[in-house]
């Protein structure tokens, strides 16, 4: 019996629970680290706000804009206010390969349409039409307090920022759900995904009419425009060139009686943005290190701010140039081929309420550390990057040596569903790429749940990657 125990300890793969394995100090550090993380989540509810956050702190942390950086070893570039690259030169030259951690700073949400405002003829309520963004279940967005974040851009280029609903004194907005008493035909008889259709996701914006002129048509809508004009100096046409996003109002919170968890909006994938940025701020990198914060992952990494644009390649070329190396097309290609990428995104932790969709030996367990995911995709691994075993071994070897709490993690049972990450787009440049990030419960819901153990393990993993890979 004793021998079998010994043998199984030596031979069997076992996930390690952070709270059992970590030192008292490490546990304290995990709690402390999460305070900064929660503050980041509160400040950054949209991709623009995340980039603004880093625009505000990078210079103070010793980083210089790459085009005017002189000899600085710490450089960055922001692009179109929605994505960024942050780099630190390492002991080796850039052309020996770059270690990149890529995450995304967009999150599922509900956008206002470009012509959103209308007055409902029967109820005389001022309403806004919406268009959801990314993979959302629609019904949880109903009857919950929402904040409005974003910008109006005027023809003269002036940017008018909007943020309503985060301050306790602010009003919030709501898309009212149907009462259960009258939902029998309208909702209960339908499939869950059809119970709330996109056309029912209209926001109540205001209810008091313009009273100065009793003959005014659509007086409630008119009053809404008057209020918006007073506050932001905009007219209805300016909605056309606006990006206005509805997100759950309020702050990220500790969850659980032991405060071991974090509940908050947009943790997919700002958890990896924050942990990778903190890692590059703290690391003494071996090779040149790059943190890439991408936009538009939730809609397929499209557009000129998504990971499929040439932004990051162009940045690597400029990093070669900045380091005094040649940056011709061949050198750039070879540099990319020698590069290593952690595709930093969240994975689905086993939800004890719905364990059936996971295969538990291959799924992520909350509190058991950062997950290393060889492939994502759906069906027969379709649409996945599928990291090479050699790179997998290199990364987990580093994590073991650096005492990073890590675990094997696949998304769900085979054929249960699926999903992808940025990994495959980065792999197109020929670099080694693997998915690596924390588990989340309730991914893409209004309030996602993560473990402080995994947030901290993720930070440690990313730092180890920059220093040792
Ligand atoms: Mn994600
Ligand atoms: Mn996602």
């Amino acid at each position: 019996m004793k021998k079998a125990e010994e043998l199984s300890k030596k031979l069997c793969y076992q996930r390690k629970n952070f709270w059992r394995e970590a030192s008292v100090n490490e546990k304290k550090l995990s709690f402390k680290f999460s305070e900064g993380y929660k503050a980041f989540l509160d400040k950054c509810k949209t991709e623009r706000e995340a980039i603004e956050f880093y625009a505000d702190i990078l210079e103070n942390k010793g980083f210089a804009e790459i085009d005017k950086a002189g000899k600085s070893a710490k450089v960055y570039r922001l692009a179109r206010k929605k994505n960024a690259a942050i780099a630190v030169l390492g002991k080796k030259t850039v052309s020996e390969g770059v270690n990149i951690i890529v995450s995304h700073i967009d999150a599922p949400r509900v956008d206002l349409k470009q012509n959103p405002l209308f007055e409902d003829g029967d109820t005389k309520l001022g309403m806004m039409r919406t268009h959801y963004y990314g993979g959302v279940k629609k019904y949880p967005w109903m009857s919950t307090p929402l904040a409005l974040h974003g910008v109006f851009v005027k023809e003269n280029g002036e940017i008018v920022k909007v943020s309503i609903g985060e301050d306790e004194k602010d009003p919030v907005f709501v898309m009212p759900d149907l009462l259960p008493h009258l939902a029998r035909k309208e909702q209960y008889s339908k499939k869950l995904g059809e119970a709330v259709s996109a056309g029912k996701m209209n926001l109540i914006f205001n209810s008091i009419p313009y009273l100065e002129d009793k003959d005014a048509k659509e007086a409630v809508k008119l009053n809404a425009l008057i209020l918006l004009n007073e506050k932001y100096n905009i007219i209805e046409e300016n909605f056309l060139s606006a990006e206005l996003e509805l997100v759950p109002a309020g702050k990220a919170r500790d969850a659980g009686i032991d405060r071991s968890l974090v509940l908050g909006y947009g943790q997919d994938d700002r958890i990896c943005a924050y942990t990778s940025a903190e890692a590059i701020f703290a690391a003494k990198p071996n090779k040149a290190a790059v943190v890439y914060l991408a936009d538009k992952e939730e809609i397929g990494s499209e557009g000129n701010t998504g990971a499929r644009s040439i932004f990051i390649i162009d940045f690597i070329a400029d990093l070669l140039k900045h380091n005094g190396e040649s940056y011709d097309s061949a050198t750039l290609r070879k540099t990319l081929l020698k590069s290593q990428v952690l595709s930093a995104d969240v994975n689905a932790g086993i939800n004890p309420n719905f364990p059936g969709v996971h295969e538990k030996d291959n799924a992520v367990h909350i509190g058991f550390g950062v997950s290393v995911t060889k492939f994502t995709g759906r069906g027969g691994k379709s649409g996945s990057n599928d990291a090479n075993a050699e790179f997998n071994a290199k990364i987990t070897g580093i994590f073991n040596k650096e005492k990073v709490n890590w675990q094997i993690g696949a998304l769900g049972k085979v054929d249960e569903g699926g999903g992808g990450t940025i990994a495959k787009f980065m792999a197109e440049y020929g670099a080694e790429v693997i998915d690596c990030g924390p588990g989340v419960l309730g991914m893409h819901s209004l309030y996602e749940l993560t473990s402080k153990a995994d947030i901290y393990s993720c930070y440690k993993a990313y730092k180890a990657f920059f220093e040792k890979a």
Side-chain angles (χ1 to χ4, degrees):
M1 188 59 192
K2 193 131 186 268
K3 189 150 192 220
E5 244 172 61
E6 254 170 47
L7 278 170
S8 84
K9 207 176 164 199
K10 187 179 156 199
L11 299 175
C12 294
Y13 170 68
Q14 208 143 33
R15 283 186 171 69
K16 292 188 179 113
N17 184 304
F18 176 88
W19 305 116
R20 284 187 186 283
E21 298 288 323
S23 65
V24 174
N25 187 45
E26 290 254 283
K27 285 184 227 176
K28 258 193 209 156
L29 285 173
S30 77
F31 270 62
K32 200 175 157 217
F33 188 87
S34 298
E35 291 305 305
Y37 172 55
K38 283 183 291 174
F40 171 76
L41 286 179
D42 294 342
K43 276 196 176 161
C44 307
K45 293 271 187 104
T46 67
E47 61 284 5
R48 281 177 187 266
E49 288 172 356
I51 293 304
E52 235 178 88
F53 179 89
Y54 286 110
D56 284 348
I57 65 168
L58 279 169
E59 301 274 341
N60 282 337
K61 290 196 176 284
F63 287 79
E65 218 293 310
I66 190 163
D67 300 315
K68 35 191 160 167
K71 294 230 171 303
S72 176
K74 299 178 172 186
V75 296
Y76 71 93
R77 174 174 289 153
L78 313 175
R80 296 196 165 88
K81 302 185 177 70
K82 293 178 186 175
N83 59 0
I86 306 167
V88 177
L89 295 173
K91 293 176 204 131
K92 302 194 170 158
T93 61
V94 176
S95 53
E96 284 172 90
V98 180
N99 286 338
I100 305 169
I101 301 182
V102 54
S103 62
H104 64 92
I105 47 170
D106 63 321
R109 59 180 194 249
V110 174
D111 292 339
L112 292 191
K113 281 192 177 182
Q114 294 331 119
N115 187 9
L117 189 60
F118 69 99
E119 179 171 327
D120 180 69
D122 299 323
T123 61
K124 305 293 178 203
L125 288 168
M127 311 283 288
M128 292 275 199
R129 304 180 191 93
T130 69
H131 194 147
Y132 66 96
Y133 171 95
V136 300
K137 287 182 176 174
K138 300 185 190 81
Y139 65 86
W141 287 83
M142 307 301 279
S143 290
T144 190
L146 299 169
L148 186 65
H149 292 242
V151 294
F152 288 100
V153 182
K154 295 192 186 172
E155 282 178 7
N156 64 4
E158 185 197 343
I159 294 178
V160 182
K161 280 186 207 166
V162 176
S163 174
I164 311 172
E166 300 296 351
D167 192 290
E168 270 175 37
K169 289 180 203 133
D170 282 356
V172 291
F173 303 98
V174 73
M175 304 184 286
D177 197 7
L178 180 59
L179 66 169
H181 317 64
L182 300 176
R184 195 163 61 89
K185 283 187 228 154
E186 202 44 64
Q187 289 184 327
Y188 289 144
S189 64
K190 293 180 180 165
K191 286 185 189 155
L192 188 64
E194 294 158 8
V196 172
S197 64
K200 299 268 192 280
M201 295 173 78
N202 295 313
L203 185 82
I204 296 192
F205 193 67
N206 70 320
S207 65
I208 301 176
Y210 176 67
L211 297 169
E212 309 286 300
D213 176 355
K214 65 177 172 34
D215 296 326
K217 278 186 194 140
E218 298 201 312
V220 178
K221 177 181 169 180
L222 183 62
N223 209 25
L225 286 169
I226 290 168
L227 291 171
L228 284 166
N229 184 263
E230 281 170 2
K231 194 168 164 65
Y232 299 113
N233 193 24
I234 56 118
I235 58 173
E236 190 174 19
E237 191 181 289
N238 293 129
F239 276 106
L240 206 77
S241 52
E243 290 174 357
L244 296 163
E245 308 177 6
L246 291 162
V247 296
K251 293 184 153 98
R253 311 276 296 263
D254 283 344
I257 189 79
D258 57 5
R259 296 179 171 269
S260 61
L261 305 150
V262 171
L263 186 75
Y265 165 72
Q267 297 198 65
D268 171 10
D269 185 31
R270 292 179 198 128
I271 192 169
C272 294
Y274 182 77
T275 47
S276 61
E278 289 298 306
I280 203 170
F281 296 154
K284 292 181 181 61
N286 176 31
K287 295 181 178 162
V290 173
V291 160
Y292 174 25
L293 308 175
D295 179 31
K296 301 259 195 296
E297 192 276 343
E298 297 294 354
I299 57 167
S301 298
E302 316 281 353
N304 62 11
T305 58
R308 297 167 90 164
S309 85
I310 62 158
F311 168 75
I312 193 65
I313 302 305
D314 183 63
F315 180 78
I316 304 288
D318 285 349
L319 199 59
L320 283 162
K321 184 178 169 193
H322 174 70
N323 202 37
E325 300 174 53
S326 78
Y327 56 100
D328 56 276
S329 167
T331 308
L332 176 60
R333 286 199 312 272
K334 303 287 182 214
T335 301
L336 293 166
L337 283 163
K338 285 182 212 154
S339 291
Q340 307 177 101
V341 181
L342 293 188
S343 165
D345 208 341
V346 297
N347 203 325
I350 298 182
N351 181 335
N353 282 329
F354 303 94
V357 301
H358 301 282
E359 186 265 283
K360 71 174 174 39
D361 287 340
N362 280 283
V364 181
H365 298 233
I366 293 295
F368 285 70
V370 66
S371 89
V372 178
T373 301
K374 190 172 183 302
F375 54 85
T376 59
R378 58 182 68 238
K381 305 191 181 180
S382 162
S384 81
N385 157 60
D386 198 8
N388 295 312
E390 289 83 349
F391 189 52
N392 215 323
K394 180 176 184 177
I395 294 301
T396 54
I398 290 168
F399 290 174
N400 281 334
K401 221 183 241 162
E402 299 300 310
K403 302 209 164 14
V404 173
N405 200 220
W406 68 273
Q407 58 179 318
I408 290 174
L411 186 62
K413 269 185 188 164
V414 180
D415 287 342
E416 193 71 43
T421 63
I422 287 172
K424 62 175 178 177
F425 306 122
M426 300 305 288
E428 284 175 16
Y429 311 128
E432 291 281 19
V433 186
I434 194 163
D435 280 292
C436 177
V440 175
L441 296 195
M443 193 195 298
H444 285 205
S445 67
L446 281 78
Y447 306 100
E448 300 173 314
L449 190 68
T450 56
S451 165
K452 291 182 181 176
D454 304 335
I455 298 164
Y456 181 67
S457 300
C458 198
Y459 160 73
K460 271 187 73 178
Y462 295 163
K463 186 163 173 275
F465 171 72
F466 282 145
E467 292 183 338
K468 307 290 175 183

